[in-house]
Amino acid sequence: MIQPLPLSYRDRLLRIDGHPSEVTFQKTGSGGVYQDEKNFFPQFAVDVEHQRTLYPEFKVPEEQWQAFAG
């Protein structure tokens, strides 16, 4: 589905002059099951520290974000 860059590239990208001042990551494609196969749900790992600043279009109330980031 996708070919993500290795996480080790994050620090390399941040060292390039004139390029991104922030870099984030998210893992896609994992899935989970709750009690039964019919209760499938996707799982996404995200960089909580940088996710909101790089994706401001994702609107999450502060209270909910803090509960998530907890």
Side-chain angles (χ1 to χ4, degrees), residues 46-49 52 60 62-70:
V46 300
D47 174 11
V48 174
E49 184 178 345
R52 289 177 92 185
V60 179
E62 184 63 29
E63 181 179 303
Q64 291 178 16
W65 183 261
Q66 293 305 319
F68 166 74

Side-chain angles (χ1 to χ4, degrees), residues 25-46:
F25 64 86
Q26 59 188 40
K27 182 187 181 307
T28 60
S30 296
V33 173
Y34 177 69
Q35 296 181 342
D36 188 285
E37 292 291 324
K38 68 181 178 184
N39 297 323
F40 173 82
F41 59 93
Q43 297 177 18
F44 303 95
V46 300

Side-chain angles (χ1 to χ4, degrees), residues 14-30:
L14 289 171
R15 287 193 302 261
I16 299 172
D17 288 336
H19 285 278
S21 60
E22 289 190 65
V23 176
T24 192
F25 64 86
Q26 59 188 40
K27 182 187 181 307
T28 60
S30 296

Side-chain angles (χ1 to χ4, degrees), residues 2-10 12-13 23-26:
I2 63 170
Q3 296 295 320
L5 294 173
L7 188 55
S8 63
Y9 282 25
R10 178 187 177 275
R12 287 178 169 181
L13 290 169
V23 176
T24 192
F25 64 86
Q26 59 188 40

